[in-house]
Each structure stands twice: as structure tokens, then as C-alpha cells.
Amino acid sequence: MSTIVRFAPSPTGRLHIGNIRTAVLNYLFALKSDGRFLLRLDDTDRERSTEEFAEGIRRDLAWLGFDISWQVRQSDRIARYDAAADKLKAAGLLYPCYESEDELERRRKRQMARGAPPIYDRASLRMSAEERARLEGEGRSPYWRFRLPNTEGSDGIVPLPTLVSWNDAIRGDQTVDLGSLSDPVLIRADGSYLYTFTSVVDDIELGITHVIRGGDHLTNTGVQIALFEALGAVPPVFAHHSLLVDAQGQALSKRLGALSIEGLRETGLEPMAVLSHAALVGTSDAIEAHSDLASLAAQFSFDKISLAPGRFDVAELNQLNARLLHRTGYAPIAQRLAALGVGGGEAFWDAVRGNVETLADARAWWDIATGTISPVIEDAGLVATAATLLPAEPWDETTWGAWTNAVKQATGAKGRALFHPLRLALTGREAGPELKHLLPFIGRERALARLKSSV
RNA sequence: GGUCCCUUCGUCUAUCGGUUAGGACGCGAGAUUUUCAAUCUUGAAAGACGGGUUCGACUCCCGUAGGGACCGCCA
């Protein structure tokens, strides 16, 4: 059986680095096992899901370089959920409940205050048919709960400890006690379905073989395994990775806009830098920039994924991005450079690539070379002398050496005393690419003007 | 309040009872660049704490501390 995995975000917000970690882990596993990757938009929450977010998610994934040619959305699959729900109702595994949300909330708080677990007491399950009829007569429409199989040996109502276990591809043997959980709500009072249910129905019908998701779903998995079985299906393999925390070790908040993929893209990061970091953080592999997904996939393995929370550090991501760019040749990015208005072709890129953190920095260097800058005159005398010694054009890579030697002879300056004032006057910057490479792009006219800017 | 998970150099981690505790990033130094940045080489740097078990513990057990997840008519 060939591998099928899915990434199932809900279009209630933009993707952030934590989501991408889940996405890339799924994607790499599919790639490595020659399987398929499904993008499933979990949009059953009508209140919060929007088409705009759905579009944003697709854009983010496309930018990252995922092949998202196979997509489904849960809002298109309601008939499937209806059928599965009917099946459960017929088997007496889905029962109507009539408490209001407020009532449930109050009840939970009371239980917590008493130090008791906030578990639903199955009050509606104990209800007589007459009572149900009366409530419905009043116009109350029920919401529906799945009756967890945790009453073996009891009266059928009182839950008993019931362990569900599975062998997690990342965490090893896991168990969840269904006896300590509430019967999950599967259908809202308005008739819409909840994730716990739709996810299982889809996983069954779309033939998902591996569910790779965050550890925040660990308890869901216990419930969902019971659902798979209630629907007569064999559960897929589950793999729960740890969640990401920020550089301070705090939980990654979805509110942090800068960590959205959109935000990362806007700051000029390369997709492969983001992907490399997302795939490698919290694994035993070195965090280094890979140039393509295939190379990341080649070394993917569940047992390399740590159980401890992964630490996401933007500074590290920037570093990764810089290193990726440093070793990127001209051809793959020629178009993007042109789009940024960077000229000079391959020679210019080779001159500056060691000094860029993002591609936009190449534009900054192009502007420094060919635009208007504010020269910094550190040593007016030396700079003035240098101006008079500028060779005639044409200039090439040997010009810098010949010129600085002449300046050295004339002034006696050498080393830092010679080069630092020249760099400051020519570029206005403390650090930068080798001037031997940059000087030809500045050209004699601009160089002369910059050197003479002190007078 | 309950259940579950995690804790090794600054960071991400290797080790699955016996190691000089290894690697990667970052940091320091050297080389190179007649300057800087980039690049290359190299160095420093670690088992949360307290108890056990054992000839021997980073590794197994218990406790403490810290962090995380879940306990929704969210996903």
C-alpha cells in the first residue's frame, strides 16, 4: 500500500512556522516513501473559516515549493459526513444532547473548582424519551456526542478506565485513557460537523496511511482511534511531533505575525531556508540550509525527531538564509535579481553574494555601487591624494590593486590606514565585498566624485 | 484540579549501563583578504537538582524544580 499523507490546516488564519513544520514533515515523508501529499482544508468551522485565508494558505505553500495539486475541502464533503453520522446514530454510538454552551461551561468550571476532572456526565444519555421529546417540542435542537467505548463492565453510563494504545512512529507506545475523557461533540446544534469527526471520516475515505501532526493532538488520537473502529476502519499510523517554542522557550503564539509565512516571505527569506529550518529544528540532524526538498527528504526519518519541544529562533533562520545565498550561483536567481533591479550580471552577484543576508541586500549593494551614497571621509588628505591617482578607464579587477599601490607609495599609508578610508569614501560602509570586485561597477566618474566629496 | 510529555555545551542534538560525552549553529583564535565582511582551519564550551538501584549511571527507578500539551458546540 502506497503512502498517503495529508496536511490539514483550517483556513481561520495564515500559516505560521509551527504549521509549516507539520506540513514539511508530512511532505518529506511522502517524498521519501514515494507517496502522495494531500492538502485538506478543514473549513467546517463556518464562523471562522474564510476563502481569503484558504487562498493565503495555498499561496504560502506554493511559495514554499510544495506540489499542492491534490486538494480537498471539507465543506465540499458534507454528504460523506452525513452518511457516516447516520451510521453511528444507527449503531447507537451518537446521541443527542440538549445542554446549552453556557450550561456546559458553568458545569466545567464547577467541576474544576471541586478539583474534579471536567468531564461531561452523560446527562443527556440518561434522559428519557419523553424528556427528549419535550425539549425538542420546545424547539431545542440537539448537538451530538460520540459515546466513547469506556463502559465495558459498568452500567453503560458510568465510565471506567479504558486504555487505548497505539504505536506512535515518533513517540513509541502511547496510551490514552478513554475513561477520563468527555464524549466528544461531533455535531453542533446547527448541524455542522467538528474536526474530530470529519478528520476521521476523511482519513478513512481518502486512504490516509500516516497522520503526522503536532503533539497537541495526542489525546484526540485516543478518541479518534475509537472513532475509526466505530466506523469499521483500521486506524492509520500516527506520528506526533513536539510543538515549537520560541527563542525564550515560550509557546509559539499564533498571534506573532512576524512568524507567519507571509511575514517571513516579506522579510525576504528564501523558501528553502524556511523549509530547512522547519524540517531540521528539533531533529538530530545538523540545521543547515538544503537547496531542495529532495535532499531534505533523503535524510528524513521519524526516529530523528526529538520529543522535546523544538526551539524556533528567527536569528538562526536569518543565518541559514545568508549561508544559503552565499553558495547560490547566478543562474538560479538571475531572474529575481533582474526583477529587483540589480544589474551587473554574474560578475556583480559573485562580487556581493558573500555579503548578503537576503536577496534584497544585493539591490542595496547595487545602489551603493551605481547610485548615490553618502561617502564618509575619514582621512581627507589620503582620500584627496587617492583621487588624483585614479587610473584612466577601462577598469577591471586589477585596477584596485594598481591604484591602491600608487596611493600607498604616495602617502606611505598601508593596511587598515590605507583601505579603511578608501572603503568608507567609496561605499559609505564599514564592511562589504572586496573592493577589487566592486570598483569596476562604481566606475571612475562616481569614484572620483565620492573621493572629492570632502571639498 | 487531573492526565500525559520533556530537561546533555549559549542553541539544536548524539549516546539507547562502561565514551577523552560526539556533531552542527553561534562564540573565541589563527589563516586568507596588503582593511573589513565573506571564506577556510582551529579552540573553549554540557548531563536541572536530590535520592536510590548497580562493580559501574547522562543512560534504569523515585522525588523536587522548570518547561510543554491536553481536559471546547476550536483545529
Side-chain angles (χ1 to χ4, degrees):
Chain A
M1 186 175 60
S2 94
T3 299
I4 303 179
V5 297
R6 43 61 161 197
F7 174 55
S10 62
T12 56
R14 291 300 290 266
L15 258 24
H16 58 85
I17 189 74
N19 295 322
I20 289 308
R21 181 150 184 253
T22 304
V24 75
L25 260 21
N26 273 285
Y27 200 86
L28 295 180
F29 180 65
L31 222 48
K32 176 157 189 172
S33 37
D34 200 23
R36 300 183 70 194
F37 175 86
L38 166 71
L39 170 64
R40 189 183 80 201
L41 289 166
D42 285 5
D43 56 354
T44 55
D45 186 342
R46 297 170 188 159
E47 301 267 302
R48 299 192 298 148
S49 300
T50 71
E51 181 51 39
E52 194 183 336
F53 282 133
E55 197 39 56
I57 287 169
R58 283 190 282 259
R59 222 176 17 248
D60 290 341
L61 292 174
W63 174 70
L64 287 166
F66 288 111
D67 173 2
I68 48 170
S69 54
W70 187 26
Q71 301 181 25
V72 302
R73 43 197 312 160
Q74 294 194 318
S75 53
D76 292 337
R77 302 175 51 79
I78 306 297
R80 312 286 188 149
Y81 310 137
D82 291 343
D86 286 345
K87 196 169 159 188
L88 290 181
K89 283 178 187 170
L93 295 174
L94 203 52
Y95 62 94
C97 300
Y98 298 87
E99 297 85 359
S100 71
E101 291 189 57
D102 285 349
E103 204 174 328
L104 290 171
E105 176 68 25
R106 274 198 307 275
R107 211 177 279 187
R108 264 196 302 273
K109 279 192 176 140
R110 256 199 323 270
Q111 288 171 314
M112 297 270 260
R114 277 209 324 267
I119 304 300
Y120 179 63
D121 61 4
R122 287 176 164 159
S124 288
L125 190 55
R126 302 167 198 264
M127 212 174 263
S128 66
E130 297 78 57
E131 268 179 291
R132 264 202 292 276
R134 186 178 56 80
L135 288 167
E136 305 238 358
E138 286 172 10
R140 284 175 81 157
S141 51
Y143 68 97
W144 298 74
R145 289 186 189 259
F146 172 58
R147 192 167 168 179
L148 247 21
N150 58 9
T151 55
E152 184 152 354
S154 85
D155 60 358
I157 304 273
V158 178
L160 258 28
T162 308
L163 297 185
V164 166
S165 57
W166 73 95
N167 187 260
D168 196 282
I170 293 174
R171 313 176 86 90
D173 287 332
Q174 300 290 306
T175 58
V176 166
D177 177 14
L178 294 184
S180 68
L181 299 174
S182 296
D183 286 336
V185 176
L186 263 32
I187 310 176
R188 295 183 181 89
D190 69 1
S192 63
Y193 294 101
L194 274 86
Y195 164 83
T196 309
F197 181 59
T198 54
S199 180
V200 170
V201 174
D202 285 341
D203 286 345
I204 293 170
E205 298 198 357
L206 298 168
I208 303 301
T209 59
H210 295 74
V211 172
I212 306 168
R213 60 187 356 178
D216 52 343
H217 284 288
L218 241 12
T219 330
N220 281 339
T221 297
V223 171
Q224 290 186 323
I225 284 176
L227 258 175
F228 273 104
E229 286 167 358
L231 289 167
V234 178
V237 173
F238 288 95
H240 293 87
H241 65 256
S242 62
L243 268 17
L244 251 30
V245 295
D246 67 17
Q248 283 70 246
Q250 299 301 301
L252 223 48
S253 166
K254 289 169 188 167
R255 294 183 300 274
L256 298 174
L259 298 184
S260 73
I261 299 311
E262 186 180 30
L264 296 175
R265 176 174 59 218
E266 278 166 5
T267 60
L269 290 166
E270 299 296 307
M272 276 316 299
V274 175
L275 250 17
S276 298
H277 194 277
L280 265 15
V281 72
T283 73
S284 57
D285 283 322
I287 297 183
E288 56 192 5
H290 287 243
S291 304
D292 53 73
L293 282 160
S295 125
L296 237 22
Q299 66 180 58
F300 173 89
S301 168
F302 284 126
D303 55 26
K304 288 180 180 173
I305 300 172
S306 168
L307 267 37
R311 205 167 278 252
F312 175 76
D313 188 348
V314 203
E316 194 163 9
L317 178 52
N318 290 338
Q319 196 51 242
L320 213 55
N321 197 70
R323 227 194 308 277
L324 180 66
L325 250 18
H326 293 173
R327 58 148 211 267
T328 300
Y330 180 66
I333 52 169
Q335 284 196 343
R336 290 172 60 203
L337 286 171
L340 281 169
V342 178
E346 184 164 10
F348 186 75
W349 171 245
D350 284 341
V352 301
R353 69 181 188 184
N355 288 79
V356 302
E357 202 167 89
T358 68
L359 207 59
D361 293 339
R363 172 61 198 247
W365 283 113
W366 181 247
D367 288 341
I368 286 168
T370 66
T372 307
I373 63 155
S374 308
V376 176
I377 304 304
E378 182 186 55
D379 181 338
L382 179 133
V383 168
T385 306
T388 66
L389 294 170
L390 268 181
E393 295 193 294
W395 284 2
D396 59 23
E397 305 241 318
T398 64
T399 307
W400 172 255
W403 176 46
T404 53
N405 259 323
V407 176
K408 179 180 177 184
Q409 303 247 305
T411 63
K414 60 179 181 181
R416 184 178 171 84
L418 170 64
F419 294 102
H420 194 244
L422 292 178
R423 172 176 290 283
L424 284 173
L426 290 170
T427 68
R429 302 289 189 96
E430 286 283 343
E434 282 206 53
L435 285 165
K436 152 170 106 170
H437 301 305
L438 211 53
L439 189 64
F441 291 99
I442 296 173
R444 190 171 199 281
E445 189 183 331
R446 274 186 294 267
L448 193 60
R450 291 173 188 185
L451 291 166
K452 286 187 160 172
S453 65
S454 58
V455 294

